[in-house]
Amino acid sequence: MLMLASGFVNLLQARRSPEPIYDLVIVNGRIVDGTGNPWFRAAVAIKDGRIARIGHVEPIQAKQVIDARGQIVAPGFIDVHTHVESIYKQPEAENFVRMGVTSLVTGNCGSSATDVKEFLGRIKEQPLAVNLATLIAHGSVRSKVLGLNNRAPTAVELQQMEALVEQGMKDGAVGLSTGLIYVPGVYAKTDEVVALARVAARYNGLYATHMRNEGTEVVAAIRESIEIGEQARLPVEISHFKISARKLWGKSDVTLNLVRDARKRGISVTVDQYAYTASSTSLDIRLPDWLLDGGREEGKKRLADKQTRERVIREMKEGLKRTGFKDYDYAVVASYSPNPSFNGKSIKAIAKEARGKSDLNSQIEQILEMYAAGGAGMVYHGMNEDDVKEIMREPFTMIASDSGVRRLNEGMPHPRGYGNNARVLGHYVRELRLLPLEDAVRKMTSLPAQTFNLRDRGLLREGFAADLVIFDEESIGDRATFEQPHQYAVGISFVIVNGVTVLDDGRMTTHRPGAALRLH
């Protein structure tokens, strides 16, 4: 009898303590699944890096349990417009993780690694906290074949460029990017870009563009972007969609209508946007394109000629007038290596400090001096809040930061690299009620995944990769400002990448579960 009783007790214990079948289960949260549909309540169970079940799950069935009571459980955010070629030096990517971002797409604006296989392969030696995809960039490809010269490629050179794009696509690039405002992309004619886009199209890639103009000629630039997609027969994704000419503020409905009309004609066009009224790029874009032909050293030689310098000054004044800005007070230095004390100051203020005068001529001379000394990273306060809102409402708009991996207290970068996603959810969703929470999450998850062919990401679905973010919709928000940009987002408690927790109750872990995301 004693032996039977003992066996009965052991059987009861086995029933009460089953072997866990899941690695992790998230309970008591409200699910915003990335589709845009209303939230619902369910548990999410994860096993072997995948979402194994959404529904009723007993906590005892998992090795680890996260109680998400009072919080939102959503797919990890996908940032499709980043510049993180240096990510292997900062593999934790903390500024992105603390915004809830689990996947990054780099290689934007015409600048990328040209050896995609080597770039993505480095994740084996240097694991990352987040997933990484890349575009193959026209500007980098062109530089490799033609240098920084202002001329069309020969037939042989174009073939070499096509071969580089093809190899990049074979190695897993998600598409072709251009930066038609930057050297050397600015020197490319439309037909050159179409030829390379056709190569990307053969591998189901898309065309992502920093188009030729975002200011006074923005309409023509959008039309060119759409034309490239139409001719090459591939989807078009217009980067950091905006209006940066003061004279055109309030005209976002005109630019959006160009995208709407293209979509009505059956052309797949999407846009991405960061949630701020300032852009960030180089100082060099303020200079005439012809001056930059051949690179900085050639430009410096041209500036040494008095007549040429006078022509540059004249053209810069004319260009400034066309935008509607009276001077360069809207242009603020983010990073200037020769004199870091300039960081955070406007060109107008720097001219006053360095030259004793702040008139327009002094401001332009200051720009030319800084260009000759190596250039600077800039923040340009050139956009209008009403346009930002109008663009954000569109169903084809994604949320993307246009940021790199940030190092705390280094320079005065744009705050979007610390706060972009959180700002949308805190300011535009909760405070302004500009769009529903579910739609904002869709713009950060399933729409990016669909656009960039990341087939098993962006939705909370059984069988999909277990990339998740858990946040409090009542407290999520951005703290970073233009004056004090180095401040992490708040309100995000957990970030999970491929089933592994990289942000655990607000604390970064040392786990690096990120994967290289390839198109094939």
Side-chain angles (χ1 to χ4, degrees), residues 268-280:
S268 176
V269 186
T270 54
V271 308
D272 68 60
Q273 173 198 42
Y274 45 80
Y276 300 84
T277 55
S279 60
S280 183

Side-chain angles (χ1 to χ4, degrees), residues 68-381:
R69 190 179 305 276
Q71 298 187 80
I72 300 295
V73 181
F77 304 146
I78 301 170
D79 194 330
V80 298
H81 192 102
T82 69
H83 297 274
V84 296
E85 278 67 34
S86 65
I87 191 170
Y88 293 109
K89 296 178 181 178
Q90 291 176 260
E92 68 283 358
E94 186 168 0
N95 59 306
F96 287 107
V97 169
R98 288 188 176 277
M99 281 195 288
V101 175
T102 56
S103 297
L104 304 173
V105 179
T106 194
N108 286 283
C109 295
S111 178
S112 75
T114 53
D115 189 337
V116 171
K117 183 177 181 180
E118 188 278 335
F119 177 71
L120 293 178
R122 289 172 62 188
I123 201 168
K124 295 177 182 177
E125 288 74 42
Q126 178 57 79
L128 306 175
V130 296
N131 304 310
L132 180 65
T134 189
L135 296 143
I136 181 72
H138 162 261
S140 298
V141 166
R142 196 180 209 271
S143 295
K144 193 164 186 176
V145 177
L146 277 77
L148 302 179
N149 299 308
N150 181 6
R151 64 174 179 84
T154 65
V156 171
E157 288 169 335
L158 185 58
Q159 288 177 350
Q160 292 173 343
M161 292 164 67
E162 289 172 338
L164 285 168
V165 172
E166 182 165 36
Q167 189 60 56
M169 295 303 299
K170 286 180 177 178
D171 290 337
V174 293
L176 173 76
S177 84
T178 55
L180 300 181
I181 199 170
Y182 302 116
V183 173
V186 68
Y187 303 135
K189 301 294 190 259
T190 303
D191 59 349
E192 176 184 320
V193 180
V194 169
L196 301 186
R198 283 179 174 144
V199 176
R202 293 203 297 265
Y203 295 88
N204 297 318
L206 86 167
Y207 172 59
T209 181
H210 181 146
M211 56 191 174
R212 210 172 288 275
N213 190 290
E214 296 173 331
T216 55
E217 304 299 323
V218 64
V219 168
I222 295 171
R223 285 179 173 149
E224 181 191 32
S225 303
I226 294 168
E227 178 188 348
I228 290 167
E230 192 167 18
Q231 288 190 30
R233 297 186 178 182
L234 82 174
V236 176
E237 205 281 299
I238 302 177
S239 301
H240 36 61
F241 201 78
K242 66 171 78 73
I243 294 176
S244 59
R246 189 183 182 92
K247 282 188 174 180
L248 295 181
W249 283 0
K251 300 294 185 182
S252 55
D253 199 50
V254 173
T255 59
L256 288 167
N257 272 334
L258 294 171
V259 179
R260 294 170 187 145
D261 291 345
R263 293 185 63 86
K264 286 178 183 177
R265 300 200 311 270
I267 305 167
S268 176
V269 186
T270 54
V271 308
D272 68 60
Q273 173 198 42
Y274 45 80
Y276 300 84
T277 55
S279 60
S280 183
T281 186
S282 71
L283 181 66
D284 293 11
I285 66 164
R286 303 271 70 91
L287 305 173
D289 299 338
W290 57 265
L291 176 70
L292 310 177
D293 183 7
R296 195 173 306 277
E297 292 306 313
E298 292 300 314
K300 287 163 64 175
K301 290 176 185 176
R302 294 186 186 101
L303 284 173
D305 177 74
K306 183 181 178 182
Q307 289 186 329
T308 302
R309 195 178 189 92
E310 288 175 351
R311 177 188 170 190
V312 169
I313 293 171
R314 183 172 65 252
E315 290 187 11
M316 289 179 69
K317 287 181 177 178
E318 292 169 355
L320 187 65
K321 186 177 181 180
R322 284 195 299 271
T323 67
F325 292 99
K326 63 180 181 179
D327 59 23
Y328 291 99
D329 194 38
Y330 77 103
V332 176
V333 174
S335 59
Y336 181 59
S337 298
N339 189 343
S341 72
F342 288 178
N343 296 346
K345 299 175 182 176
S346 72
I347 291 295
K348 184 175 183 179
I350 292 168
K352 178 69 173 177
E353 176 184 315
R355 297 171 180 274
K357 294 186 294 184
S358 60
D359 60 280
L360 186 54
N361 274 349
S362 298
Q363 292 177 43
I364 292 175
E365 287 291 352
Q366 186 62 41
I367 290 173
L368 297 181
E369 179 182 307
M370 292 168 67
Y371 162 74
M378 302 293 296
V379 171
Y380 296 107
H381 294 268

